[in-house]
Amino acid sequence: MNQPAVPPGPAPVPPGPGRDDARFTTPRATLLMDRFMTGFIKVGGGVVIVAVLGIMVFIASQSVALFSSASVRPLATMPAVVGEAVAVALDEWGERPAVLGRDGSLAFLDPAGAPAATVKAVDGTVRCVRLDPLRNALIIGLADRIEVVDLEYEATVAADGRRTVVPSHRTVMRCDLPGPPQAVSFAQADTRALAAAVVSVGGRTTVHAQLLVRQRSLGGEGELKPAGSWDLGARLNGEPVEVLVDEAAESAVVATASGQVAWFHFGEAGPELRQSFQPFDDRPAGPARAIVSMAWIFGDVSLSVASPDGANRILSLHRKDGGEVRLFGRTKDMPQLPGVATFQTNSVRNKAYLVACGKDLSLRYATTAAERWRAAAAAPVVAAAFSAKYHRIAVLGADRQVRLSLLDDPHPEAGWGAFFGRIWYEGAPGPDWTWQSSGANDDFEPKLSMVPLIWGTLKATFYALLFAMPIALLAAVYTAEFMHPRFKVMIKPAVEIMASLPSVVLGFLAALWLAPILEPRVPSVLCVAVLLPLAAIIIGWGWSRLTPAARSLVRPGYEFLFLVPLLVALGALAWHLGPVVESLCFTVPVLGQDGRPLLGADGAPLMVGDFARWWPAASGMSYEGRNSLVVGFMMGFAVIPIIFTIAEDSLSNVPNALRSGSLALGASRWQTAMRVVVPTASAGIFSAVMIGLGRAIGETMIVVMATGNTAIMDPNIFNGMRTLSANIAVELPEAPQHSTLYRTLFLGALLLFLLTFAINTVAEIMRARLRDKYKTV
């Protein structure tokens, strides 16, 4: 059969004047716009990188000061002017050092060079003296008595802003002694005072203690009157050499020549010997166990003791082995001293203290067991004192010179050990990682460990991803591979809209709506978590066993219209099965009003289902209403849209040729999805998970509102946590600018920054490897 002739097409235009080449030329405006946008994108990318690096540098600059040591700079050197000087004190502002002479004279020195003001503080020869830095008083031991002299300062500010400090002194207490003292101590509280001294009586050395009590009446508070005096020598194991009274005037600590320490508590029945121990019992018996110096640490809960060979240890009160009474125990070994300690004094602002060994001076911090500063003095140290603001030090030397120095140590409680090491805090049963930035009193130890916050961050992230990953990834696989495109265009935008919900709204819902629902219905949640996936697997297995004719009754991509209502019904059934399961599996005895189990007619305890009581009894862990389960559900709800969207895009971008080839070779749609499409898109899926992980790590408001926000290290799903981001949100409004807490919060931000940076770096490396492994031609 003849084919109709095809008319010839237009002949090609030969090159030359007859050809219009202008339509193949890119317009100049387009080229200029392309160049502009290319440069703009490059500059914008560079600006973003610089901005991110600038933020990191700023955060790091705020944190680096936490790891610096103390510095001491000389200010002035003044003669003692009192003959043989035996003690030095310093006012709050560190401007008028006071020096006590052996003859009882007291001189107030002026670093500006003005003549010293010298007065007679006590009558008689000073045999021993102790500085009470808390009340800035000199406790002076004379031949037959103790006198307590308060040093008082009145500051006036002139019109030009110059401050003038006018010193004075006042004798506030006198206590008679049975003999000449070798060491004295005194403390006064609101209603009582306690004086103690190591004295020589009848050729023996003993400890004399006297308690004074203030009686209250309708007319007000009366004077302190003696309530009893005691000779404690008979209760000591050895000759006493040192005595300390705590600031509450309730106890005294006595050290003996043999290295024994006795702790007495003064109650209504008199002194009670609560503990006797040797701080250096690991040394060879003899002089090596002696205590050459002993001093309180601020708060009078811890002692610093030193041995002849230079060992320096901290002893703190804590409850041993769950006991009810706190006892002293060795909690820290400080750095080795270069020689025999001759003097110790403590700060009244923090847990710092100063130790002198001849000419050597060492500034130490008891909480972190760190040496903050060490230097050699110009002469052997006789005494030293801190200013109340912990910004100046006065050192009295054997050359009768007082040297005033400026102390710069703004963050003594910080350091690598404080942030990442296990610290044995006062009152704690042992070393631990603890975060507690504030307390109820001034002698509180800031506890600034980052470890509980890092743990809380990882814990919240783990439970969030445990809930979000299966749902998001399986939903992405179903949407990309099995759902009809008609529904896909509606489902995907709806899920993406979930990502726009504010975190504060989700946190509000978690705290006030979800937590009250879940608290009494944990067995229902467990039933749903077990039965719903199991039902979905069984339904899928049954669907795969149907004949092609039966499956063809449902249009491909429409299966979920039948599956979802069935799963909803099964989920509701599982939810209502929760109380039944609770009454069968999670039972505890019924308690009466007296707290005892109620018994039935057969004598057996009556049992009732109560998961909230069963869990602590069975696991030994706590159960709280706002817990990690609530955070996991609600934070997972916030992470699901991110993982779903990116994973679904990665799956949808797999070439259809791979799907067609797999199906043509006889693979089922499920086999094609799991063995061809998912491995090919694994790089994008991994990126989706990592981005969701980063979203969960940085979450703040949900964690703040939905948990107890307590910095604890416990894997228990039924209690809360505190994350790095939540800690910043909670603590920063109350942190004074440039304080240790303020900079520590910046350190937490830096750790969060580095954590997300590390995760993103690892994610990019893994994504590149997966992309190379499963790349297609």
Side-chain angles (χ1 to χ4, degrees):
M1 188 174 188
N2 295 330
Q3 300 290 335
V6 179
V13 179
R19 180 173 179 174
D20 185 10
D21 293 330
R23 62 194 182 98
F24 298 103
T25 304
T26 304
R28 180 176 179 81
T30 303
L31 294 176
L32 291 176
M33 179 59 67
D34 179 70
R35 292 177 183 175
F36 171 76
M37 293 306 299
T38 301
F40 181 79
I41 292 173
K42 291 181 179 179
V43 172
V47 170
V48 170
I49 294 174
V50 171
V52 172
L53 292 177
I55 293 173
M56 186 176 68
V57 169
F58 172 74
I59 294 174
S61 68
Q62 296 296 314
S63 307
V64 70
L66 295 170
F67 303 97
S68 61
S69 58
S71 64
V72 177
R73 180 169 56 88
L75 290 179
T77 301
M78 300 153 282
V81 305
V82 291
E84 183 186 355
V86 295
V88 65
L90 198 56
D91 62 288
E92 177 183 357
W93 302 275
E95 298 179 2
R96 297 299 300 271
V99 181
L100 179 68
R102 180 71 69 182
D103 59 356
S105 58
L106 182 66
F108 293 98
L109 310 181
D110 190 344
T118 305
V119 296
K120 193 68 173 176
V122 294
D123 294 326
T125 301
V126 176
R127 300 183 63 89
C128 56
V129 62
R130 181 179 302 281
L131 172 66
D132 182 355
L134 186 61
R135 59 183 297 168
N136 206 11
L138 292 170
I139 306 166
I140 304 171
L142 302 172
D144 58 353
R145 67 188 184 277
I146 296 175
E147 291 196 14
V148 181
V149 178
D150 277 357
L151 305 179
E152 300 175 344
Y153 300 87
E154 182 178 355
T156 59
V157 180
D160 59 357
R162 291 186 300 175
R163 180 174 55 237
T164 302
V165 178
V166 179
S168 62
H169 76 287
R170 181 169 60 96
T171 301
V172 296
M173 182 65 62
R174 289 184 176 89
C175 297
D176 295 332
L177 297 175
Q182 300 176 14
V184 293
S185 187
F186 174 84
Q188 181 177 341
D190 291 337
T191 60
R192 58 191 288 154
L194 180 62
V198 178
V199 296
S200 297
V201 181
R204 70 184 185 94
T205 304
T206 185
V207 175
H208 176 78
Q210 183 174 358
L211 180 65
L212 300 95
V213 177
R214 191 192 309 274
Q215 300 295 334
R216 297 179 182 271
S217 64
L218 295 177
E221 294 184 351
E223 296 181 356
L224 286 169
K225 295 182 179 181
S229 60
W230 300 270
D231 186 335
L232 305 178
R235 308 188 193 183
L236 300 175
N237 183 16
E239 180 180 314
V241 294
E242 184 64 283
V243 62
L244 295 174
V245 175
D246 73 328
E247 64 183 26
E250 293 179 347
S251 64
V253 177
V254 181
T256 68
S258 62
Q260 198 79 13
V261 174
W263 177 42
F264 293 91
H265 183 269
F266 291 80
E268 296 180 356
E272 172 195 358
L273 179 58
R274 287 194 170 177
Q275 187 181 9
S276 181
F277 62 99
Q278 280 195 323
F280 300 102
D281 56 359
D282 56 337
R283 296 290 197 274
R289 294 187 177 184
I291 297 175
V292 297
S293 180
M294 182 172 68
W296 287 116
I297 304 299
F298 179 49
D300 292 5
V301 177
S302 297
L303 286 168
S304 170
V305 294
S307 69
D309 61 358
N312 182 202
R313 292 175 177 174
I314 301 298
L315 313 173
S316 299
L317 287 172
H318 62 276
R319 291 180 174 85
K320 297 183 178 181
D321 302 325
E324 296 183 359
V325 179
R326 296 195 304 173
L327 300 175
F328 280 102
R330 171 182 167 188
T331 58
K332 300 180 184 72
D333 288 323
M334 304 299 291
Q336 182 75 15
L337 294 169
V340 179
T342 56
F343 181 82
Q344 292 192 64
T345 186
N346 67 284
S347 165
V348 296
R349 190 177 183 90
N350 49 43
K351 304 294 181 178
Y353 66 102
L354 196 65
V355 185
C357 300
K359 290 186 177 182
D360 187 88
L361 274 173
S362 175
L363 177 63
R364 301 173 169 223
Y365 199 77
T367 300
T368 57
E371 186 174 58
R372 303 292 301 167
W373 168 82
R374 173 180 283 188
V381 176
V382 175
F386 290 99
S387 64
K389 295 181 180 293
Y390 189 66
H391 72 306
R392 292 189 178 185
I393 300 176
V395 178
L396 172 62
D399 58 354
R400 297 175 55 199
Q401 298 291 316
V402 176
R403 293 170 176 85
L404 186 65
S405 301
L406 178 66
L407 171 62
D408 183 18
D409 190 19
H411 312 294
E413 61 269 53
W416 292 106
F419 295 134
F420 304 105
R422 299 181 69 184
I423 301 294
W424 195 334
Y425 294 102
E426 291 180 344
D432 201 359
W433 295 286
T434 306
W435 173 275
Q436 188 180 356
S437 61
S438 60
N441 48 18
D442 293 336
D443 57 7
F444 167 79
E445 288 181 293
K447 304 171 180 65
L448 303 176
S449 176
M450 294 282 104
V451 177
L453 306 180
I454 297 173
W455 172 274
T457 301
L458 298 178
K459 179 181 178 180
T461 303
F462 171 77
Y463 285 117
L465 293 182
L466 185 65
F467 173 73
M469 278 182 54
I471 296 176
L473 295 180
L474 292 176
V477 170
Y478 183 82
T479 303
E481 300 302 314
F482 300 100
M483 182 174 286
H484 194 277
R486 175 182 177 183
F487 300 107
K488 179 179 178 180
V489 297
M490 295 184 291
I491 296 297
K492 187 176 180 183
V495 175
E496 292 174 348
I497 290 176
M498 291 168 53
S500 65
L501 292 176
S503 295
V504 66
V505 174
L506 297 178
F508 178 81
L509 292 174
L512 300 183
W513 175 72
L514 185 60
I517 292 177
L518 295 183
E519 182 176 3
R521 300 302 296 269
V522 172
S524 298
V525 175
L526 296 177
C527 289
V528 172
V530 172
L531 296 180
L532 206 58
L534 185 61
I537 293 173
I538 293 174
I539 292 173
W541 178 83
W543 176 261
S544 66
R545 292 298 183 268
L546 294 177
T547 61
R551 291 201 299 268
S552 65
L553 297 177
V554 179
R555 187 178 178 182
Y558 283 70
E559 297 90 351
F560 77 96
L561 294 178
F562 300 92
L563 177 64
V564 169
L566 183 58
L567 291 179
V568 170
L570 292 175
L573 176 62
W575 179 266
H576 288 89
L577 283 176
V580 178
V581 174
E582 183 177 32
S583 62
L584 295 175
C585 302
F586 308 114
T587 58
V588 293
V590 179
L591 301 180
Q593 294 182 352
D594 57 356
R596 298 180 179 179
L598 298 180
L599 303 179
D602 57 354
L606 296 177
M607 307 297 287
V608 64
D610 190 342
F611 185 86
R613 288 177 53 201
W614 177 88
W615 175 258
S619 66
M621 295 185 287
S622 62
Y623 180 87
E624 301 172 6
R626 296 185 179 184
N627 50 46
S628 303
L629 182 65
V630 178
V631 172
F633 283 156
M634 197 54 73
M635 194 186 297
F637 185 82
V639 172
I640 283 174
I642 298 173
I643 299 178
F644 170 83
T645 300
I646 300 175
E648 197 278 335
D649 288 340
S650 300
L651 293 166
S652 297
N653 288 330
V654 173
N656 285 326
L658 296 178
R659 296 182 178 86
S660 301
S662 175
L663 295 173
L665 292 173
S668 65
R669 294 170 62 194
W670 175 255
Q671 290 173 327
T672 299
M674 299 309 297
R675 299 183 183 181
V676 177
V677 178
V678 169
T680 305
S682 58
I685 295 174
F686 185 78
S687 297
V689 174
M690 289 297 103
I691 294 175
L693 176 64
R695 169 73 171 83
I697 286 178
E699 178 55 49
T700 302
M701 294 310 299
I702 295 177
V703 181
V704 169
M705 302 178 71
T707 70
N709 212 29
T710 304
I712 55 177
M713 296 181 61
D714 190 345
N716 181 15
I717 192 175
F718 296 112
N719 63 13
M721 79 292 288
R722 177 179 287 196
T723 64
L724 286 166
S725 57
N727 188 63
I728 295 171
V730 171
E731 300 277 3
L732 190 59
E734 306 297 330
Q737 190 173 16
H738 303 310
S739 65
T740 301
L741 175 59
Y742 177 85
R743 295 187 185 277
T744 302
L745 296 177
F746 273 92
L747 177 62
L750 180 63
L751 291 176
L752 193 61
F753 190 97
L754 295 176
L755 186 61
T756 55
F757 180 79
I759 290 174
N760 289 335
T761 302
V762 172
E764 178 59 25
I765 295 174
M766 293 297 296
R767 187 192 66 81
R769 291 186 178 182
L770 290 172
R771 182 184 58 189
D772 293 339
K773 182 177 181 180
Y774 295 107
K775 64 182 179 181
T776 58
V777 180

